[in-house]
Amino acid sequence: MNDLLEKLRDAVGRRHVLTGDTETRRFRQGYRYGGGAAVAVVRPGTLVEMWRALQACHQAGVVIIMQAANTGLTGGSTPVPEGYDRPVVVINTLRLRRLDLVNRGQQVVSHPGVTLDQLEKALRPIGREPHSVIGSSCIGASVTGGVCNNSGGALIRRGPAFTQFALYARVDANGELRLVNNLGITLGDAPEDILRRLDEGRFDEGDIVEVSNLHASDHEYCDHVRDISADTPARFNADPRRLYEASGSAGKLAVFALRLDTFAADDEAQVFYIGSNDPAELETIRRDILGGFANLPIAGEYMHRSAYDASARYGKDLFVYIQAFGTDKVPLAFSWKSRFDGLTEKLGLGGAISDRILQFIFDRMPNHLPRRMNEYRDRFEHHLLLKMGDAGIDEARDYLVERFPSANGDYFECDDKEGAAALLNRFSVGGAMVRYRAVHPKTVEDIVALDIALPRNTIDWFERLPPEIAKKIDFTMYCGHFFCHVLHQEYQVKKGEDCEAIKHDILALLKARGAEYPAEHNVGHLYGAAESLKAFYRELDPTNVFNPGIGKTSLKLDWKDAGHYGRQA
């Protein structure tokens, strides 16, 4: 391995090859899961450096794990603790931040370290927006990670992250590392020439090749999601409609650049805060809007009271931090937190000290959420955050005035501060559940986090766990992207209970309801990939060099010992 480390240092510079346990911790530990070993974490600063690092890793015969922001919730971009038959190298792409606007800003060429927050800020002056401006952007997620993991869909008109234009490297069936330029831009033939031109931005509109049958976004989704009679989900990871090269690849390719559509921003936006004690009432609203409105919502986010409570208490520090410093500073905060936790682990104090300190501090701070939201928390079990734009604002306002107040619900129009707080509180809940686990080690065994997509025609959408399962759960949280019926259902399992058995039992109930899973967080190392998804992975990576084990597949070279994981989730 010393020879490999020297080649990597030659490729990217000595200070960008990390080898110590403490300095590599934040790259080896996932946002929620992960924590295996790696001989090195490599951080290239140009696409040419990334190619040279890939060549060195390929020649050395190591496992290659491609990683960007490492904000995934299923451990899909970090090593597993055991089972590999080769050493592991993580290639982190966050230094590769070049972004080029093309076609008058209607598209972008994004390098693998570009974050959603960065893209949003670049597009704002020209009145355009990226695929996603809420959700993952709150925690510093990357554009490329979203595409590779079928992420997104919170913005109802835009659907999941998708493109058919990509520049990537793969190892073919003969074991050869090859660069494939399907970016739709003429850049030359030799790999380093192609990559150097992208590094320097040396291309213009005349180099862009338009291909009429290929698309840089899920252009059909706005019609697809409206089909409320369909007995299949609007979106889910194994949907063959949206598996194409880099899109849905889950780290089985090394992606250098993507070409993606951008979207016209609404001139005006309005958040309506809806509360109800009857889940059927929210479903009626969903069906009325999708089936009858001329204007689709920008977003429609659901929160159960349990999610509201979890986020309000255990996500308070993230909420306050983002309000004070913005989303672009979140990765820096996570980096320092990981370094601190690595140090406390080394001293034998455990790895959750920072969570306990932060929780102790913020528990003593005053309530940070607007008064009307807190009043709705007390009055209603179910909350729907409906965000409309332009002509859709009056359409929604007329509809809601007619419907409310009802026997079970009511609504109010948020002012700007309330609207921002409502959405930020919704998207702080993921981190809040990690915090809950960290500060309740005596009562919580672990989190069972499910990411499910219900059929579009589902009426009875809200889960009621049978008593024999519910008694094993310390705390349950429900939230989701309501209009596409994608729900995040998380269970803090009581100490001593079998998390895998509980997960298996709940997924069996969901499968009986026609649910698909995962919906948008990818299979990672927590879900077993569907057969169609496994076939897609094997086609992309026939020798199993990149990110082996994803979707509970084989960790071995050439896909040997494919059944090593046992029971598939």
Side-chain angles (χ1 to χ4, degrees):
M1 284 299 104
N2 286 337
D3 183 53
L4 171 61
L5 292 176
E6 283 307 310
K7 287 182 179 178
L8 292 173
R9 288 166 182 142
D10 288 343
V12 306
R14 183 167 296 272
R15 67 188 292 257
H16 297 298
V17 179
L18 314 178
T19 56
D21 284 348
T22 301
E23 63 181 351
T24 63
R25 183 185 184 276
R26 69 186 176 101
F27 304 97
R28 295 182 295 102
Q29 295 273 359
Y31 186 62
R32 285 192 176 174
Y33 300 97
V39 297
V41 173
V42 185
R43 304 188 68 221
T46 66
L47 298 180
V48 171
E49 288 182 2
M50 178 172 152
W51 172 249
R52 291 172 180 172
L54 275 174
Q55 288 179 306
C57 290
H58 177 245
Q59 291 165 5
V62 298
V63 164
I64 303 170
I65 296 179
M66 302 302 303
Q67 180 189 89
N70 193 19
T71 58
L73 301 181
T74 58
S77 59
T78 51
V80 294
E82 58 183 14
Y84 297 114
D85 56 351
R86 298 149 285 168
V88 175
V89 172
V90 176
I91 299 181
N92 181 278
T93 63
L94 274 190
R95 294 179 63 221
L96 304 173
R97 301 289 298 272
R98 186 178 180 95
L99 178 65
D100 292 286
L101 276 59
V102 298
N103 292 335
R104 301 170 305 284
Q106 294 181 60
Q107 291 186 329
V108 295
V109 174
S110 174
H111 289 210
V114 172
T115 64
L116 284 167
D117 181 80
Q118 176 190 350
L119 179 54
E120 182 182 355
K121 289 176 178 175
L123 293 174
R124 189 175 296 145
I126 61 170
R128 308 287 293 181
E129 289 182 341
H131 156 266
S132 180
V133 296
I134 55 177
S136 295
S137 56
C138 291
I139 56 173
S142 70
V143 174
T144 296
V147 170
C148 293
N149 292 304
N150 299 114
S151 299
L155 298 184
I156 298 165
R157 307 171 201 162
R158 302 176 192 177
F162 177 78
T163 185
Q164 292 174 299
F165 296 101
L167 174 69
Y168 59 86
R170 68 187 294 260
V171 176
D172 65 20
N174 296 318
E176 297 294 324
L177 178 68
R178 300 191 181 280
L179 188 71
V180 180
N181 181 11
N182 287 340
L183 197 59
I185 301 176
T186 303
L187 294 165
D189 298 312
E192 291 207 3
D193 291 342
I194 292 170
L195 298 172
R196 191 170 288 108
R197 285 187 64 180
L198 282 176
D199 277 328
E200 298 169 0
R202 285 192 291 110
F203 63 91
D204 55 34
E205 303 291 331
D207 296 315
I208 297 175
V209 180
E210 294 302 334
V211 187
S212 60
N213 64 329
L214 297 180
H215 302 277
S217 63
D218 189 347
H219 65 292
E220 302 169 332
Y221 187 77
C222 57
D223 297 319
H224 182 72
V225 74
R226 280 189 183 270
D227 187 358
I228 53 178
S229 64
D231 61 2
T232 56
R235 58 189 177 94
F236 58 99
N237 282 111
D239 187 350
R241 292 174 59 253
R242 292 298 173 251
L243 297 176
Y244 190 93
E245 296 181 349
S247 294
S249 59
K252 301 302 288 181
L253 301 172
V255 178
F256 286 84
L258 298 171
R259 193 168 126 215
L260 295 148
D261 286 338
T262 68
F263 304 88
D266 290 278
D267 293 326
E268 296 182 76
Q270 175 64 53
V271 175
F272 298 91
Y273 202 107
I274 302 167
S276 180
N277 289 313
D278 182 5
E281 184 167 46
L282 296 191
E283 181 59 28
T284 298
I285 292 170
R286 172 185 172 270
R287 298 177 73 83
D288 286 348
I289 291 176
L290 290 178
F293 271 36
N295 301 280
L296 278 175
I298 296 171
E301 292 301 311
Y302 168 73
M303 290 187 85
H304 185 261
R305 181 184 282 149
S306 62
Y308 188 102
D309 289 347
S311 190
R313 181 176 180 189
Y314 299 102
K316 184 192 289 188
D317 57 316
L318 180 60
F319 183 105
V320 172
Y321 182 88
I322 290 174
Q323 276 201 329
F325 301 107
T327 55
D328 57 331
K329 297 294 189 297
V330 172
L332 178 63
F334 282 151
S335 172
W336 282 107
K337 181 178 180 297
S338 181
R339 287 177 180 273
F340 180 85
D341 288 339
L343 179 61
T344 59
E345 281 180 349
K346 211 170 189 179
L347 295 172
L349 301 174
I353 301 299
S354 64
D355 287 292
R356 295 174 195 170
I357 292 172
L358 286 167
Q359 196 59 45
F360 178 85
I361 294 169
F362 279 86
D363 270 346
R364 282 146 186 82
M365 293 181 65
N367 189 289
H368 58 295
L369 296 175
R371 174 186 55 81
R372 288 200 291 181
M373 284 173 53
N374 287 326
E375 289 175 352
Y376 266 51
R377 180 265 168 222
D378 294 338
R379 290 176 59 192
F380 301 115
E381 182 180 2
H382 305 282
H383 299 231
L384 178 61
L385 285 52
L386 177 64
K387 186 175 184 180
M388 303 296 297
D390 294 344
I393 298 173
D394 284 338
E395 188 173 23
R397 182 178 289 130
D398 292 343
Y399 172 82
L400 293 171
V401 165
E402 184 96 12
R403 169 168 281 280
F404 291 111
S406 68
N408 293 294
D410 207 345
Y411 87 102
F412 66 87
E413 290 193 31
C414 296
D415 60 28
D416 289 345
K417 183 178 179 180
E418 289 170 328
L423 291 170
L424 185 50
N425 189 53
R426 157 66 184 90
F427 289 106
S428 297
V429 74
M433 294 301 283
V434 177
R435 173 66 53 74
Y436 186 104
R437 176 182 62 183
V439 300
H440 293 94
K442 294 181 180 179
T443 59
V444 171
E445 185 68 28
D446 204 350
I447 303 172
V448 169
L450 302 183
D451 163 33
I452 66 143
L454 295 173
R456 283 165 282 173
N457 65 356
T458 300
I459 301 294
D460 186 14
W461 59 274
F462 185 68
E463 178 180 76
R464 304 288 183 187
L465 285 175
E468 61 271 21
I469 297 178
K471 69 181 182 181
K472 300 175 182 178
I473 309 298
D474 185 66
F475 182 81
T476 304
M477 185 282 294
Y478 298 102
C479 66
H481 312 303
F482 190 62
F483 284 81
C484 53
H485 267 172
V486 167
L487 298 173
H488 304 299
Q489 306 185 168
E490 303 198 13
Y491 314 87
Q492 302 279 354
V493 177
K494 287 182 178 178
K495 199 72 175 178
E497 297 290 349
D498 185 340
C499 295
E500 278 300 310
I502 291 170
K503 176 182 174 184
H504 183 266
D505 291 344
I506 295 174
L507 287 178
L509 295 173
L510 289 165
K511 200 68 177 176
R513 296 170 63 196
E516 293 283 353
Y517 46 82
E520 63 177 5
H521 289 160
N522 210 284
V523 288
H525 291 288
L526 298 185
Y527 296 89
E531 291 303 319
S532 58
L533 201 52
K534 291 179 186 176
F536 178 62
Y537 293 159
R538 292 187 75 144
E539 179 184 356
L540 295 179
D541 185 20
T543 63
N544 207 22
V545 168
F546 290 102
N547 209 14
I550 197 77
K552 299 194 173 185
T553 57
S554 173
L555 291 161
K556 312 295 185 184
L557 184 66
D558 295 323
W559 299 88
K560 295 172 184 173
D561 188 26
H564 75 287
Y565 264 106
R567 182 172 65 195
Q568 300 291 290

